[in-house]
Amino acid sequence: MRLLNFDRFYQLTFFPSWFPVNCYLVEDGAALTLIDCGLPMSTRGIMQAADQIGKPITRIVLTHAHSDHVGALDALKQALKDAAVMLSERDARLLAGKTALDPDEPQTPIRGGIPKAIQTVPDRLLQGGDKIGVLQVISCPGHTPGHIALFDQRSGALFAGDAFQTRSGIAVSGQIRPFFPFPALATWSKATACTSARELIKLNPHYLAVGHGNVLEHPEQAMTRALAKAEQKMGMNTHA
C-alpha cells in the first residue's frame, strides 16, 4: 500500500503499480472520514494508515457500490462499530445486490462488480446537497445510477470516485483508456456520466482525487479536455 499526504487528506493506494485502487482519509477536526473501502484485503492497510495519522475513523462514505470500492466494508464496520456508514439512497440498493432500474433511468444494464454478500446496512442514506462534516455530497450518476462525489471546500479537493479516472490518462467514466479500460467497462450510462462530469467541472476543484490513478492538482483544464473528447466520441453536446 502507498500512503500520500495532501492538504488535509490522504490517498491510500493498493496495488499502485499495476491495478491502483484508491481510498481516502479526510481530516475533519479530531476525526477521519474514510471515502471508499477498496478491496477485501484493504482492511489492514486502512486501519494502519489511520493509526499512523493518529486519528479515529468515525465515518465511512462510499462513492458507489462496486465491489472494488466496498470490498473491506464488512470487516471495517466490525472493527469500527461506531463508524457511520453512508452512501446514496440509490446505490444502497446496489449495495444490497439489487440491479433493477427505475422507469425514468436509462435502460442499460448496471455493469461492474455488483456486491453479492455485503452484510453492512448503511446508517445514513445520502442525497445530492447533503453535508457530511466538512464534505458536500455531489450527485454524479453515470458510472452507477447512484454515484456521488464529495467536495471539501477547505482544500478544494473533489473526491470523484469513478466519475473520472486518471490512470493511463484522464478520462470521463465510460471512455476507454487502452492500458486501463476497467472503469469504462464497468460504466452504466456513458451519456449520463458526461452530464455529471460537466457539473463536477463547475466546482473548479484544486485537487481531483479518483478511485483509480494519481491525484491531480489544478485539474479543471484536464477535466474539460477529457469531457470534450468524451462528447466528441459519443457525438453529443452537453453544453447545448
Side-chain angles (χ1 to χ4, degrees), residues 142-205:
H143 189 67
T144 64
H147 195 292
I148 60 171
L150 291 311
F151 186 59
D152 186 342
Q153 293 182 325
R154 303 171 305 171
S155 63
L158 176 63
F159 303 96
D162 286 353
F164 283 87
Q165 71 179 78
T166 62
R167 177 68 167 181
S168 297
I170 188 171
V172 174
S173 183
Q175 303 304 307
I176 288 182
R177 305 297 300 175
F179 293 104
F180 198 76
F182 310 105
L185 297 174
T187 296
W188 162 62
S189 171
K190 296 179 183 180
T192 307
C194 283
T195 300
S196 292
R198 178 160 57 96
E199 295 305 309
L200 294 179
I201 292 168
K202 290 179 181 178
L203 295 170
N204 189 23

Side-chain angles (χ1 to χ4, degrees), residues 15-46:
F15 308 115
S17 298
W18 61 280
F19 194 99
V21 174
N22 297 326
C23 308
Y24 296 90
L25 288 168
V26 181
E27 293 187 284
D28 190 345
L32 297 169
T33 296
L34 173 65
I35 299 177
D36 288 332
C37 294
L39 303 162
M41 49 70 62
S42 302
T43 307
R44 182 178 178 183
I46 291 170

Side-chain angles (χ1 to χ4, degrees), residues 127-142:
Q127 303 283 349
D130 287 350
K131 293 284 287 186
I132 306 169
V134 298
L135 299 172
Q136 180 181 358
V137 177
I138 311 295
S139 177
C140 53

